[in-house]
Amino acid sequence: QVQLVESGGGSVQSGGSLRLSCAASGYTYSSYYMIAWFRQAPGKEREGVATIDSGGSTTYADSVKGRFTISQDNAKNTLYLQMNNLKPEDTAMYYCAAEGGKYISWWARLLPTAYKSWGQGTQVTVSS
C-alpha cells in the first residue's frame, strides 16, 4: 500500500514562497505513474494544482501557472511543489496523490477521481 506524507506548509505573507514535500513509500515499480498536488479550501471542492508523470511531463492549473513548479527526486522518493508569489487565494490544505500501473489521460490528470492514494495534507495560509 502506498504511503504519502506531506510537509512544508505554513503561514506566509502575500508574495512569499513555500516549498512543499511529499515523501512516498510502500509502492511497487510501475513503468508508468502519475503524482500530483491538490488543494482544498473550507467550503470548496478539491482542485488539481499540478501533476508530473514518469516521463517528466507536467500539467498545471491555470491559476498557478508561472508561479508554482512541480518536481520529483527519485533518489529520495520525494515529490516537491515550489510555490512562489503566493496569493491569499492559494490558502488551502494541500494534498499529494499518486496513481500507478495505468495511463491517465491528459484531460483527467487534474481531477481527484483519477487517483487512489492520498496523503493527509499540509496547511498553507497566505495573508494579505
Side-chain angles (χ1 to χ4, degrees), residues 53-98:
D53 69 9
S54 50
S57 296
T58 58
T59 302
Y60 294 94
D62 289 340
S63 59
V64 307
K65 195 172 298 182
R67 299 188 297 122
F68 292 9
T69 302
I70 188 171
S71 63
Q72 60 183 326
D73 186 333
N74 291 331
K76 297 181 179 179
N77 297 321
T78 302
L79 174 72
Y80 300 101
L81 183 67
Q82 179 66 48
M83 305 185 294
N84 297 325
N85 192 24
L86 284 161
K87 304 176 180 180
E89 306 93 275
D90 297 318
T91 295
M93 184 72 77
Y94 282 70
Y95 302 88
C96 60

Side-chain angles (χ1 to χ4, degrees), residues 3 42 45 127:
Q3 303 292 324
E45 296 183 357
S127 60

